[in-house]
Each structure stands twice: as C-alpha cells, then as structure tokens.
Amino acid sequence: FLTVTAVDSGSKALEFLGLNNNNNNSSSSSSNISLIITDYCMPGMSGYDLLRRIKESESFKDTPVVIMSSENVPSRINTCLQQGAQDFFLKPLQLSHVTKLKSHLFRCTTC
C-alpha cells in the first residue's frame, strides 16, 4: 500500500517534513517517507533549495529526492545531482522515468 502526499510549495514540503524554521530534526516519521519528488521551479524556493534542506537534515538525508523540470539547463541538473538528488527528469515525463521512480521507491522501502 502506497500513500502519496502532495503540497504546492517548497515551504509546505518543509513544513510537512518537519524541517521548517531551520529545524533540521523532523517531527514527522522519516521511516514513512520513501521518496520525495519535487519540481525545480516552485513558488518561494527552488527544488535545489528544498533538496539542500532535505539533505542537511538527519532524518531525511538518506531519502531519495528526484527533481524534475521543463527547463534543460545542464549546469542546474549537474548541481542538483552533485548535491544529492537521486535523479533529475526533464518534462514531459516518459515511461522510462516512471520505471526509474519505481526502482527508487522499492529500493528505499526495503531499507
């Protein structure tokens, strides 16, 4: 059984994860979150900024983060991957992307 939670901004993602207000110790149970998917362009903060906050936290630093964007900017993609993104998908998503998402999800749920 898989539960999906969607939020509409990076700040709401941080709030859901318990990482808002520069608090790096999550109040939400990190064991229940298997994969984080974010857009690069969001209101208030970029997907890169969200990635950095997630990877700086003790609770979520090992949680796979996948970033997606409609903009093909190689330097942006490389920076996100170097800073810990598991993958970076260009929109529109392809079936092969969904297959990769499934592999990230199942790899993590067996951790």
Side-chain angles (χ1 to χ4, degrees), residues 2-3 16 28-35 60 63 105 109:
L2 181 67
T3 301
F16 177 79
S28 116
S29 174
S30 60
S31 63
N32 292 333
I33 298 176
S34 303
L35 177 66
F60 296 103
T63 303
L105 183 62
T109 58

Side-chain angles (χ1 to χ4, degrees), residues 11 13-25 27 53:
S11 60
L14 291 174
E15 183 178 328
F16 177 79
L17 296 170
L19 300 176
N20 53 341
N21 299 325
N22 295 319
N23 174 14
N24 286 336
N25 296 318
S27 60
R53 292 287 303 275

Side-chain angles (χ1 to χ4, degrees), residues 33-37 55 60 62-66 86 104-105 108:
I33 298 176
S34 303
L35 177 66
I36 298 170
I37 303 170
K55 294 303 177 180
F60 296 103
D62 296 325
T63 303
V65 177
V66 174
Q86 190 73 29
H104 296 315
L105 183 62
C108 188

